[in-house]
């Protein structure tokens, strides 16, 4: 017989899912996944420009710009301006930690139900 699930942990899981919803949508697109992968090797000091990302993922500039906006709005990437140039990098310190927390709470719920 399964153990009782903590209502506190369920509440935390629901809250974490809600906080991650925008990220799930952003990461659910294959083109955005390719952009994240292209940006992973960069830092906020280096980053990549739209033209460099366009070459790396084989998309048009307007498409890349659109995907970058979605990723920025989800808090998954940073944009740094240097004069008239914009540089993009993955922001591992912010919302990616929310995904990690969600996984941890799901693991805790599974431990509660499966002993």
């Amino acid at each position: 017989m399964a153990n009782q699930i903590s209502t506190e942990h369920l509440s935390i899981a629901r809250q974490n899912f809600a906080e991650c919803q925008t990220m799930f949508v952003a990461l659910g697109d294959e083109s955005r996944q390719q952009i994240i992968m292209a940006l992973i090797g960069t830092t906020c000091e280096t980053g990549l420009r739209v033209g460099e990302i366009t070459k790396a993922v084989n998309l048009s500039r307007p498409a890349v710009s659109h995907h970058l906006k979605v990723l920025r709005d989800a808090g998954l990437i940073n944009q740094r301006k240097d004069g008239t140039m914009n540089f993009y990098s993955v922001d591992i310190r912010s919302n990616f930690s929310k995904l990690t927390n969600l996984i941890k709470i799901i693991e805790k719920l599974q431990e509660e139900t499966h002993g």
Side-chain angles (χ1 to χ4, degrees):
M1 182 177 208
N3 295 335
Q4 190 68 11
I5 297 175
S6 161
T7 55
E8 178 186 359
H9 289 155
L10 279 174
S11 176
I12 293 169
R14 283 187 191 98
Q15 180 181 350
N16 285 358
F17 267 112
E19 290 175 357
C20 293
Q21 187 174 5
T22 305
M23 287 181 282
F24 287 139
V25 171
L27 292 170
D29 183 90
E30 186 177 346
S31 295
R32 290 192 281 272
Q33 293 168 16
Q34 291 175 355
I35 290 170
I36 291 284
M37 294 305 295
L39 295 175
I40 281 181
T42 66
T43 66
C44 59
E45 289 83 29
T46 59
L48 293 177
R49 297 181 63 206
V50 173
E52 296 167 313
I53 298 167
T54 299
K55 289 177 187 172
V57 298
N58 200 25
L59 293 171
S60 69
R61 287 180 76 89
V64 168
S65 293
H66 165 74
H67 290 305
L68 289 171
K69 181 183 181 333
V70 172
L71 291 167
R72 270 194 335 268
D73 290 348
L76 297 170
I77 64 171
N78 290 321
Q79 177 184 7
R80 177 179 58 84
K81 289 186 177 277
D82 186 359
T84 60
M85 297 183 292
N86 293 314
F87 294 88
Y88 299 89
S89 60
V90 174
D91 186 359
I92 59 170
R93 291 181 306 265
S94 64
N95 284 337
F96 278 108
S97 64
K98 290 180 183 178
L99 291 172
T100 302
N101 291 338
L102 178 60
I103 291 167
K104 287 178 183 176
I105 194 67
I106 290 170
E107 287 173 343
K108 192 170 284 191
L109 287 169
Q110 283 187 317
E111 288 171 8
E112 289 179 7
T113 58
H114 300 300

